[in-house]
Amino acid sequence: MAGQVSERPAKASAPEYQGALGSLSVNASLPEVLARGVRELRAAELSGDLREAARCGLAVAEACRRLGRIGEADRAWKASYRAARSAGHEGAMAWALWSGGTLARQRGALRLAYRLLSLAAEAGERGGDVVVRGYSLAGLAETGRIQGDYEAVGRLHEQLLAEARRRGEARHTVWALEGIAQMHRNTGRYDDALALFEEAAETASRAEDRRGWAWALRGIADVVSVRDGDVERALSLLTRAEEACREISLSSALAYNHKMRGNVLYRAGRYEQARELYALALEEFREMDEPRGTALSRLGLVKAGARLGRDAGRTAAELAELRSTLDRIGLRHARDMVDKAAAELGVGPLPDRTGDGPGAAGPILPAVGVEALRTADPEGLR
């Protein structure tokens, strides 16, 4: 899908850190970002500088979101938007909407995510801020990707990758490479997936993007585990990624790392160890109110429990309940994983509560998502 990097990327930046926080690195510790953001936000509010309050509030919202402090993140992005609107600044409004849309996706509110990210892209275009517009289009693409509609979002990922490379935006280049790699991995094209994950890891490393590097290592570990059965290499990669996650307190990335470690151990037949890791990830996801990660960790626990002798009837009932949960969230790919698990464990086909039969869950994308992706136009980034 993707070509090679044509030139050395610039050092990764964090454009969501603005105003008084603009000097912060993409690798800044999130507790540090939050503490400084709160201080600067208070100062901006005391001085009556609404635009600065919007900028500082954005950093607070993003730090809270990545730390799993969901309620605080929700309040912070809305306050940032109100300050930006009062200041009449379209770009700052767009960044607040982007943060809100990203939070909505993290919470499993996918229709709201499409709506807010669409509004963010429109506000970014009106305000002439191509960076927030690019981030918002990427958010739309990622929302469609985690729902499993690769046909709808594959071309948008490719377009955003080309644009990120043209503009020398290392962080977005890494994001797009990883997204395309994940689609390859999920459709069984493991060689292509591995090449792109490795390219993403190298690009992130050269650009000093610890977050992107950690996610890329997780992807590499997944592929070498499922394709090659190389358990020790996969676990080593995950250990390195976990260290990076802990350095900057990436709560969500750390939880997904633990879940992936569970996957690697499960594939290796080490079911007791896998169950422990899935239980850890489940606790972490529940603490940050992340339904997608919660559901996927529960799926791992059910599979590991079944391998350790759990009653088949209880296994089938839990899988059926999980499939309904994933239907409600709108995660078609994950729903299909449940059906595959049932077949693998010999407890399928599962009873279908919707009456539509196995694998039938209506359109993958909600109408608002279809419209948002239809009107997404990366050409506006030029």
Side-chain angles (χ1 to χ4, degrees):
M1 272 187 171
Q4 296 299 306
V5 178
S6 59
E7 58 186 62
R8 183 181 180 86
K11 183 177 178 179
S13 62
E16 68 270 34
Y17 301 155
Q18 303 169 8
L21 303 172
S23 63
L24 286 175
S25 162
V26 67
N27 300 318
S29 163
L30 291 175
E32 172 195 344
V33 174
L34 180 57
R36 185 170 165 187
V38 168
R39 288 197 304 270
E40 297 293 352
L41 174 58
R42 288 172 180 164
E45 289 173 339
L46 286 172
S47 69
D49 189 338
L50 291 170
R51 183 178 178 187
E52 184 65 9
R55 288 168 159 175
C56 296
L58 172 66
V60 170
E62 282 302 287
C64 287
R65 180 181 68 79
R66 291 164 177 160
L67 287 166
R69 297 163 65 164
I70 301 304
E72 293 171 69
D74 190 50
R75 290 189 291 273
W77 85 259
K78 290 174 180 175
S80 175
Y81 178 80
R82 288 193 297 269
R85 184 178 58 189
S86 297
H89 197 281
E90 289 277 6
M93 291 167 62
W95 276 109
L97 288 165
W98 164 79
S99 180
T102 306
L103 177 65
R105 182 177 65 244
Q106 183 172 316
R107 300 177 73 174
L110 301 185
R111 288 178 175 80
L112 178 60
Y114 283 118
R115 178 63 177 156
L116 292 176
L117 291 166
S118 296
L119 291 171
E122 292 167 7
E125 185 173 27
R126 288 194 303 270
D129 190 327
V130 296
V131 177
V132 71
R133 178 168 170 78
Y135 270 56
S136 302
L137 294 178
L140 290 171
E142 185 164 346
T143 306
R145 176 170 58 78
I146 68 169
Q147 288 196 265
D149 197 334
Y150 303 153
E151 183 177 352
V153 301
R155 179 168 172 75
L156 182 54
H157 274 77
E158 292 281 2
Q159 291 172 316
L160 290 168
L161 173 60
E163 199 56 38
R165 282 176 163 158
R166 188 184 71 82
R167 299 177 64 84
E169 293 175 351
R171 192 172 170 202
H172 250 207
T173 298
V174 170
W175 166 83
L177 285 168
E178 291 173 353
I180 296 167
Q182 192 63 51
M183 289 186 279
H184 280 317
R185 181 262 180 263
N186 289 347
T187 50
R189 296 192 292 272
Y190 299 128
D191 292 348
D192 292 335
L194 183 59
L196 292 181
F197 276 130
E198 289 177 337
E199 184 180 344
E202 180 183 352
T203 303
S205 179
R206 285 186 284 131
E208 300 179 33
D209 174 8
R210 298 286 283 169
R211 181 183 296 121
W213 182 76
W215 279 108
L217 290 190
R218 175 183 173 275
I220 295 171
D222 184 27
V223 176
V224 300
S225 166
V226 73
R227 187 193 71 169
D228 306 330
D230 193 338
V231 180
E232 297 313 312
R233 184 187 174 200
L235 293 177
S236 175
L237 287 164
L238 290 170
T239 296
R240 294 168 63 197
E242 179 170 346
E243 291 169 356
C245 292
R246 291 191 184 280
E247 283 176 14
I248 49 181
S249 302
L250 293 173
S251 301
S252 181
L254 183 60
Y256 275 106
N257 181 294
H258 290 154
K259 187 192 73 66
M260 182 57 68
R261 189 178 288 271
N263 290 354
V264 170
L265 292 167
Y266 178 87
R267 291 170 192 148
R270 293 156 63 173
Y271 302 125
E272 189 64 54
Q273 291 174 281
R275 183 165 64 179
E276 292 175 5
L277 266 296
Y278 287 134
L280 173 60
L282 178 60
E283 181 181 351
E284 292 169 327
F285 283 123
R286 280 178 169 164
E287 185 175 344
M288 67 184 74
D289 188 25
E290 187 165 336
R292 176 170 171 258
T294 297
L296 292 174
S297 299
R298 285 181 59 201
L299 175 58
L301 270 175
V302 172
K303 291 172 63 178
R307 293 297 190 184
L308 290 168
R310 195 173 192 197
D311 177 75
R314 291 179 64 191
T315 297
E318 285 201 34
L319 288 175
E321 194 276 328
L322 259 177
R323 190 174 64 177
S324 296
T325 297
L326 292 165
D327 273 346
R328 287 195 300 273
I329 300 172
L331 299 175
R332 172 65 67 84
H333 174 70
R335 180 194 198 271
D336 291 344
M337 289 171 61
V338 175
D339 286 327
K340 290 176 182 177
E344 172 193 329
L345 299 171
V347 298
L350 298 173
D352 192 86
R353 299 181 183 182
T354 66
D356 296 325
I364 295 178
L365 302 183
V368 65
V370 172
E371 178 61 18
L373 290 168
R374 186 187 67 80
T375 58
D377 180 16
E379 288 300 316
L381 302 176
R382 295 184 178 275

